[in-house]
Amino acid sequence: MTFIGLSDGETDIDSDAIDGELPFEIFTLRNLINFLLGFSWTGISFYNSIQNKTILIIISVLVGLFFVAIFFFVIKQILKLSENNSFKIEYALHKTAQVYLTIPESKSGKGKILISINGTFHELDAMTFSPEKIPSNTSVKVVAIENNLLIVEKY
């Protein structure tokens, strides 16, 4: 289970050593287990086939490192599939939306719009600078954001 990235508990050891571009630590219990898995399988499998034990140890170490590299590669590919769906109001800027509740004219009150951001609909408060109110079911475009309030105009 550890080899494919599944484990029941947190087994990683925190370290402040090299903090590079890697999304995970190099020296962890999981990586040690993966290394020992490849090292031991290779050593046991070729113990009778390879007479020179120095060469056997070198090959076993290389296979152990290869197992750790495979684990890094698999985890990196899995992390590419992750998606950040956190909502930020800035994502609404310059998008089109539908008026849900009428927006009063000249910033005299708030209305509501339905806007799709990252494939999810959000109901957000909106105002307009326009001298006329914007009725429901009208398409609008978000032109500015002021104090977490969307400023829209007819589209």
Side-chain angles (χ1 to χ4, degrees):
M1 297 287 283
T2 301
F3 178 67
I4 60 172
L6 302 175
S7 67
D8 291 332
E10 185 65 35
T11 58
D12 291 345
I13 300 169
D14 291 333
S15 70
D16 293 330
I18 303 167
D19 214 20
E21 296 289 321
L22 295 176
F24 34 81
E25 298 285 329
I26 293 175
F27 299 107
T28 64
L29 181 60
R30 180 179 294 141
N31 289 339
L32 177 65
I33 291 170
N34 290 331
F35 172 79
L36 292 175
L37 183 70
F39 178 81
S40 63
W41 282 2
T42 305
I44 292 169
S45 298
F46 294 112
Y47 185 77
N48 293 327
S49 303
I50 300 174
Q51 297 303 318
N52 188 341
K53 299 310 175 201
T54 305
I55 293 175
L56 177 62
I57 291 172
I58 291 171
I59 291 172
S60 296
V61 167
L62 292 175
V63 171
L65 292 174
F66 180 69
F67 270 47
V68 173
I70 287 174
F71 176 75
F72 280 149
F73 176 75
V74 168
I75 294 299
K76 188 174 181 180
Q77 297 305 314
I78 289 171
L79 289 177
K80 285 182 182 178
L81 297 174
S82 67
E83 184 177 347
N84 182 3
N85 282 331
S86 59
F87 173 75
K88 293 183 181 173
I89 198 156
E90 293 81 25
Y91 295 157
L93 196 58
H94 306 296
K95 293 207 181 264
T96 58
Q98 287 291 112
V99 176
Y100 179 63
L101 292 176
T102 302
I103 301 172
E105 64 280 348
S106 304
K107 290 181 77 173
S108 61
K110 297 179 193 174
K112 294 210 179 268
I113 61 170
L114 284 176
I115 188 166
S116 175
I117 299 172
N118 292 334
T120 305
F121 280 98
H122 298 274
E123 181 181 304
L124 301 172
D125 291 331
M127 293 180 127
T128 185
F129 289 122
S130 173
E132 58 187 47
K133 68 180 180 177
I134 303 175
S136 296
N137 295 324
T138 304
S139 291
V140 292
K141 183 175 182 177
V142 178
V143 294
I145 300 170
E146 292 180 6
N147 301 325
N148 286 334
L149 188 66
L150 302 176
I151 308 299
V152 298
E153 62 184 25
K154 281 187 180 179
Y155 186 66

